[in-house]
Amino acid sequence: MTTTTIDEAPFIEPSTTAKRNYINDEYGVMSWLLTRDHKRIAILYMISVTALFFVGGFFAFMMRLELLTPEGDLFTSDTYNKFFTLHGIVMIFFFLIPAIPAVLGNFILPIMLGAKDLAFPRINLLSWYIYMIGAIFGIYVIVTGGVDTGWTFYTPFSTQYSNTHVFATTMGAFITGFSSILTGLNFIVTVHRMRAPGLTWFRLPLFVWSMYATSVVMLLATPVLAITLALLMIERVLSVGIFDPALGGDPLLYQHLFWFYSHPAVYIMILPGMAVISELVAAFTRKKIFGYKFVAFSSLAIAFLGFLVWAHHMFVAGISVYSALVFSFLTMFVAVPSAIKVFNWTATMYKASVSWQTPMLYVLGFIGLFTIGGVTGLFLAALGVDVHVHDSYFVVAHFHYIMVGGTVMAYLGGIHYWWPKITGRMYPEWWARLSALLVFVGFNLTFFPQFLVGYVGMPRRYHAYAPEFQVLNVLSTAGATVLAAGYLLPMIYLAWSLKFGRRAGVNPWGAVGLEWATSSPPPKENFHETPVVTWDAYDYPAFLKAMKETQNV
Amino acid sequence: MAQSHHTTDHSDHVGHAPAHHEASLTAYFVVFFALMVFTVLTVAASRVNLGVWNTPLALAIAVTKAVMVILWFMHVIHSPRMTWIVIISSFLWLGVMFVLIFSDYLTRAFNIF
Amino acid sequence: MSDVTLHHGAEHAAEPHAHAHHHPFLQHHFEDLGQQHEASTLGMWMFLATEILFFGGFFLAYTVYRNMYPEAWAAGAHHQNWMVGTINTIVLIGSSLSMALAVYGAQTAKRKFTTLMLVLTLLLGGVFLGVKAYEYSIHIEEGLFPGSHFTYVHHADPSLTRGIELFMVFYFGMTGMHALHMVIGFGLLLYFIRRAWRGDFGEEYYSPIEIMGLYWHFVDIVWIFLFPLLYLIHGGA
């Protein structure tokens, strides 16, 4: 591509591409389906989560179409209930949770550590198969008529009243949970035991710190989801009253257990986004991240504090008011480490020579949208405000600013940033910038009106609404169309680049990190010789010097 | 498990075979005997009405037994610091779950305001 | 990085077993058996941490309802045969001892002793599950299986019946989950009995069997808590 500007400072000349790499090392479908190579498993995950992202996106789009008019004219309320349920389940369990860890983390984390693979390659492959089995349950539910409980499966509706496929859906979520447990377990052990010589904890890229924190949450929260869904399935199959008040159970216990997982799960989704953003900021500002240790420890702080706040989802559900006060208070604390990250990224950009390539555009999008999502989260954490806007579109807008404005932006930024490493090809810069712009504009157009319409009282999860809300809803649906274009575009040009993209060198961005010290795409064992790390994270001069010495050997 | 490794970077023990502390057979049998004694004790205690203290006593005995199994049968007493961290943090998280959920259940009946 | 450091062709396509000078069970992405051992034991402990939270959620729900229905819980515990429970506890702790001895045997390369101890663990586990099945059959006969088969009525105080059903949900759920873990353990034991007999383990390489031991002891610990909480909470009757 001639329109690209990526070769501003390629201080390492693109070498002739290694003849052997992980892609052409073996051929045939079975060499992929039975691979233990973390890079190939990452590709398997990338294909699966992308497919499911568009399935989830389809349901979102159908909802926006229905909400174009105040009347419930396009779908029945039952169909609409199934659409928002399936949208939530597919996006959360099958896209957001695995997306960054299982795709980018799987591919990049071992290379960043200078390891040949994750600690347990077979378990890594197993996690993909478990994910696929869960996904097949999900697809089965979609094909055979859906489920209408909402993604939260609140009892007793899900256990006693809903006549849709609750069992198969919860089974799918239950099974998929184990794939994220195995991924988290693999990452933690790999970070502890597989680091290259010289790669001390405080030389680790911030991506690794955040991914480590994510893994801790995956490991300690997901089993609680497993037991919660297991209890739900027992109740539904045996018709006993674990959570059914009519039979002596307590539906609030279900909500407690469910949110003990599902609130930390928010951090399973956003921490990897933060991981990507830290790398991207350092790469495109050509600077060390300001306050490295603060950013590193803030990830762990978020992982821990994220476990203390779950009942803010239950403020109006009938929990004790004293407990609600405590949870409201604790929720405020999560803002501190999150703000530390935002301030440090911004401080890194200050007076830097920023290069405005596509990944950096996503960084800017992320920082702005995440900040809006985070601050509105503080509104919701305040007990009084939450009572007012609970279950309104304000909440919907808030968490989409975090999940879509945060995680999906970071995922796309990361995909573009590491695309040359993963495939050995550059993506077309002009088209990528266009799509980043479309995503940003489309996103804000879709979700900002939802803050407004929610604040004035439009409740979530209804297929019809009062006519005075229509203008904002039309804006939102228009935005969804732009957003859809922004998401489809990368599918086309990234696929195009596989064949026609300019070949990427070892280090097309001139960034620091072990992944930029091996060929693109990397060889099967990642490095031809075990690397020795002599530089601190993001230490440009030291890394450059080390690379020159390697070349002269 | 080589205790000397847990604080250092793994890269400096290239070429080592796993060092291990073969817990002596005596320790295993002593622990087994103690577990038997505690089992009998907990059953005996349950046959006596201690009022509200039956459950705390049963749980205290169960915790003691579990700690013995963890320390000796599972070799944690000779394990690297990281193993201790994993075990302690998983129980810590479990504690968070119990404390915060009961912060709701136990205060629902309060009526201060 | 330049071509100088790039090896070509088959050299870096090395399979694990191509490292002739390495231990046959050293996986290719580890530097040595020490690193492999540390990684696998740490991995197992991480897995057990998830198990602690998994069973922990179950124990939490148990605690919430016991707190709500203390009399029903005590009445439910009365239906458990504490003597059978005690015998089963002793059997299971015995299997933990034989498992610990099997690990010791593997560390000291005593092939026959290790195999024998693993077989003993399997047998004691089998006795435990057999007794459990006997207990289940009695409960089902008494109409205590929750759901549509629940025909039991507490005559002394019929208002407790609903709470007793809930207790039985937890009884069957928790012991059933525990039994499921033991069945998985049986599969692992059969696999390791074969490997131990083949002589795979020795002073250098014993981590798989150590990990198996960690799993088995964890299952034992779960029972150590289940036993008093399900059998012995009748308040000293």
Side-chain angles (χ1 to χ4, degrees):
Chain A
M1 284 295 293
T2 49
T3 53
T4 53
T5 52
I6 33 78
D7 42 9
E8 280 170 3
F11 57 80
I12 292 165
E13 285 301 311
S15 66
T16 47
T17 311
K19 290 192 176 63
R20 281 278 181 194
N21 58 51
Y22 79 97
I23 299 171
N24 64 15
D25 193 75
E26 283 174 279
Y27 290 100
V29 175
M30 291 323 276
S31 78
W32 285 85
L33 291 180
L34 297 177
T35 186
R36 290 175 208 163
D37 183 344
H38 66 100
K39 301 182 286 302
R40 286 188 165 210
I41 295 168
I43 301 290
L44 293 176
Y45 261 117
M46 188 195 283
I47 296 166
S48 336
V49 300
T50 307
L52 282 153
F53 174 76
F54 283 101
V55 172
F58 166 78
F59 292 121
F61 202 73
M62 289 300 111
M63 287 189 308
R64 283 317 322 166
L65 275 186
E66 166 62 62
L67 295 174
L68 201 53
T69 56
E71 301 82 29
D73 40 14
L74 197 52
F75 305 111
T76 64
S77 55
D78 279 347
T79 311
Y80 184 81
N81 291 348
K82 288 176 182 172
F83 281 170
F84 73 68
T85 304
L86 290 168
H87 168 68
I89 288 167
V90 170
M91 285 302 198
I92 288 171
F93 293 115
F94 299 112
F95 177 73
L96 286 166
I97 286 179
I100 297 179
V103 179
L104 296 174
N106 237 338
F107 196 100
I108 297 297
L109 186 105
I111 306 181
M112 280 183 166
L113 297 173
K116 288 177 188 158
D117 207 321
L118 285 170
F120 309 113
R122 270 180 296 191
I123 286 179
N124 195 22
L125 180 64
L126 179 67
S127 90
W128 181 72
Y129 276 100
I130 291 175
Y131 169 82
M132 287 310 286
I133 294 170
I136 286 168
F137 271 91
I139 303 284
Y140 162 80
V141 169
I142 291 170
V143 173
T144 57
V147 60
D148 65 351
T149 57
W151 80 276
T152 49
F153 310 117
Y154 269 12
T155 55
F157 180 70
S158 60
T159 51
Q160 306 293 341
Y161 303 107
S162 174
N163 55 3
T164 52
H165 294 284
V166 179
F167 187 84
T169 317
T170 43
M171 197 60 169
F174 176 84
I175 292 171
T176 313
F178 289 98
S179 94
S180 68
I181 287 178
L182 294 180
T183 303
L185 188 153
N186 228 332
F187 283 1
I188 295 184
V189 176
T190 308
V191 173
H192 274 284
R193 297 289 180 233
M194 310 284 284
R195 301 194 308 278
L199 189 54
T200 57
W201 280 89
F202 290 113
R203 281 180 175 175
L204 287 175
L206 288 166
F207 183 87
V208 177
W209 277 95
S210 259
M211 212 49 86
Y212 183 90
T214 311
S215 306
V216 171
V217 184
M218 282 175 163
L219 215 54
L220 294 171
T222 318
V224 180
L225 175 76
I227 189 64
T228 312
L229 295 181
L231 288 172
L232 192 156
M233 286 186 272
I234 292 172
E235 168 159 341
R236 189 168 169 93
V237 170
L238 296 181
S239 304
V240 293
I242 304 176
F243 301 121
D244 181 7
L247 296 172
D250 179 19
L252 277 188
L253 179 65
Y254 173 82
Q255 297 187 18
H256 271 304
L257 289 170
F258 180 81
W259 288 113
F260 183 85
Y261 163 76
S262 292
H263 191 76
V266 172
Y267 302 102
I268 297 180
M269 300 179 231
I270 195 65
L271 274 167
M274 294 166 162
V276 171
I277 297 303
S278 297
E279 291 303 304
L280 267 50
V281 168
F284 293 94
T285 56
R286 298 279 187 284
K287 273 171 78 180
K288 260 189 177 176
I289 290 283
F290 180 82
Y292 170 93
K293 283 192 182 177
F294 278 89
V295 180
F297 282 117
S298 67
S299 294
L300 297 179
I302 290 173
F304 180 71
L305 291 171
F307 274 94
L308 308 179
V309 302
W310 75 82
H312 62 218
H313 296 268
M314 303 161 59
F315 282 161
V316 299
I319 61 168
S320 143
V321 65
Y322 310 100
S323 184
L325 282 174
V326 171
F327 275 105
S328 177
F329 181 68
L330 287 172
T331 303
M332 304 288 178
F333 280 100
V334 188
V336 176
S338 310
I340 286 176
K341 280 184 190 290
V342 171
F343 291 147
N344 281 298
W345 292 325
T346 320
T348 311
M349 281 188 265
Y350 179 66
K351 284 192 175 173
S353 67
V354 183
S355 44
W356 303 106
Q357 272 120 27
T358 311
M360 195 60 196
L361 298 182
Y362 280 110
V363 168
L364 291 187
F366 178 98
I367 294 178
L369 301 180
F370 174 74
T371 305
I372 295 175
V375 171
T376 52
L378 282 179
F379 298 0
L380 291 168
L383 205 43
V385 182
D386 185 72
V387 171
H388 173 61
V389 295
H390 186 86
D391 263 347
S392 77
Y393 264 86
F394 190 87
V395 177
V396 175
H398 153 69
F399 68 72
H400 280 90
Y401 264 76
I402 300 286
M403 304 286 79
V404 185
T407 308
V408 179
M409 292 288 244
Y411 177 67
L412 286 171
I415 287 283
H416 284 88
Y417 176 63
W418 282 298
W419 191 254
K421 186 54 62 183
I422 294 170
T423 64
R425 302 277 187 166
M426 298 305 298
Y427 58 83
E429 185 67 32
W430 190 88
W431 287 100
R433 284 181 184 178
L434 175 68
S435 117
L437 193 68
L438 285 178
V439 168
F440 184 78
V441 172
F443 175 83
N444 281 298
L445 196 53
T446 311
F447 291 105
F448 200 80
Q450 296 186 5
F451 276 127
L452 306 177
V453 81
Y455 195 78
V456 295
M458 178 167 162
R460 62 192 286 209
R461 293 184 168 178
Y462 285 93
H463 78 314
Y465 53 86
E468 63 262 35
F469 300 139
Q470 191 177 9
V471 174
L472 290 166
N473 272 291
V474 169
L475 279 178
S476 184
T477 301
T481 318
V482 180
L483 193 55
Y487 288 145
L488 285 168
L489 205 52
M491 293 295 290
I492 299 163
Y493 66 74
L494 287 178
W496 176 89
S497 77
L498 289 177
K499 186 130 176 74
F500 304 106
R502 202 168 59 84
R503 282 192 188 279
V506 168
N507 190 355
W509 309 116
V512 173
L514 273 175
E515 79 267 35
W516 304 113
T518 186
S519 49
S520 308
K524 189 182 178 189
E525 303 228 310
N526 295 342
F527 300 93
H528 298 300
E529 290 161 4
T530 304
V532 179
V533 178
T534 53
W535 59 88
D536 286 346
Y538 317 118
D539 185 345
Y540 281 85
F543 181 71
L544 183 63
K545 192 160 157 276
M547 287 303 103
K548 278 195 174 143
E549 279 165 9
T550 321
Q551 279 182 313
N552 294 337
V553 168
Chain B
M1 179 86 59
Q3 210 160 8
S4 59
H5 290 157
H6 65 256
T7 48
T8 54
D9 200 57
H10 80 261
S11 54
D12 58 10
H13 58 82
V14 175
H16 285 197
H20 46 74
H21 298 258
E22 289 142 21
S24 70
L25 287 177
T26 328
Y28 287 152
F29 284 106
V30 169
V31 169
F32 175 73
F33 182 72
L35 289 172
M36 289 295 110
V37 170
F38 277 118
T39 304
V40 173
L41 204 63
T42 192
V43 174
S46 79
R47 309 304 298 163
V48 187
N49 192 343
L50 301 172
V52 293
W53 292 103
N54 273 94
T55 306
L57 181 65
L59 280 177
I61 292 175
V63 169
T64 315
K65 285 163 80 179
V67 168
M68 281 195 292
V69 172
I70 290 173
L71 286 183
W72 283 285
F73 279 2
M74 297 170 99
H75 309 144
V76 169
I77 202 155
H78 301 300
S79 293
R81 195 175 51 180
M82 188 57 205
T83 309
W84 289 76
I85 293 173
V86 172
I87 299 167
I88 290 169
S89 41
S90 52
F91 282 107
L92 184 77
W93 254 257
L94 193 59
V96 165
M97 186 160 86
F98 269 79
V99 168
L100 285 179
I101 286 186
F102 276 94
S103 83
D104 171 21
Y105 280 101
L106 299 181
T107 59
R108 276 190 203 170
F110 285 15
N111 198 3
I112 301 174
F113 299 141
Chain C
M1 206 172 286
S2 72
D3 277 340
V4 187
T5 57
L6 296 175
H7 298 236
H8 290 291
E11 271 182 55
H12 63 79
E15 289 303 309
H17 297 288
H19 301 280
H21 55 289
H22 282 161
H23 193 281
F25 294 118
L26 175 63
Q27 290 173 297
H28 77 289
H29 59 291
F30 289 116
E31 293 286 334
D32 55 67
L33 282 170
Q35 191 191 16
Q36 182 172 323
H37 176 86
E38 287 185 1
S40 45
T41 38
L42 182 60
M44 190 63 199
W45 274 109
M46 298 272 170
F47 176 73
L48 293 184
T50 71
E51 289 276 32
I52 288 170
L53 270 296
F54 180 81
F55 278 100
F58 227 145
F59 279 106
L60 181 120
Y62 166 96
T63 314
V64 166
Y65 289 126
R66 186 173 163 201
N67 200 40
M68 271 183 204
Y69 306 111
E71 296 91 0
W73 243 241
H78 259 300
H79 286 280
Q80 312 306 322
N81 188 331
W82 62 270
M83 279 203 278
V84 175
T86 309
I87 292 167
N88 238 358
T89 307
I90 291 169
V91 168
L92 197 62
I93 293 176
S95 82
S96 244
L97 175 68
S98 61
M99 189 69 231
L101 294 175
V103 176
Y104 169 81
Q107 286 173 338
T108 49
K110 295 183 174 69
R111 185 175 69 96
K112 284 181 182 162
F113 178 75
T114 309
T115 317
L116 184 72
M117 283 302 125
L118 289 175
V119 172
L120 186 61
T121 310
L122 187 73
L123 287 178
L124 288 170
V127 170
F128 178 92
L129 280 193
V131 172
K132 203 77 231 146
Y134 160 76
E135 288 182 278
Y136 280 175
S137 70
I138 288 180
H139 296 316
I140 291 169
E141 254 173 54
E142 290 177 289
L144 281 165
F145 189 79
S148 53
H149 300 284
F150 194 82
T151 52
Y152 172 85
V153 179
H154 193 69
H155 291 294
D157 183 358
S159 69
L160 291 184
T161 305
R162 190 62 82 193
I164 293 174
E165 184 181 5
L166 204 49
F167 173 83
M168 290 312 286
V169 170
F170 281 93
Y171 170 80
F172 277 105
M174 293 171 103
T175 57
M177 203 62 83
H178 177 257
L180 179 69
H181 278 77
M182 290 194 67
V183 171
I184 294 167
F186 284 180
L188 294 171
L189 275 172
L190 288 171
Y191 169 73
F192 282 117
I193 287 168
R194 188 170 161 269
R195 286 191 69 180
W197 184 250
R198 205 166 62 186
D200 281 359
F201 305 114
E203 282 153 20
E204 280 200 322
Y205 177 70
Y206 60 87
S207 35
I209 213 152
E210 163 136 356
I211 286 165
M212 163 78 220
L214 293 179
Y215 177 82
W216 194 262
H217 296 310
F218 172 79
V219 175
D220 188 23
I221 289 173
V222 172
W223 182 258
I224 284 175
F225 283 96
L226 285 180
F227 172 56
L229 290 178
L230 294 174
Y231 287 76
L232 305 177
I233 53 161
H234 38 56

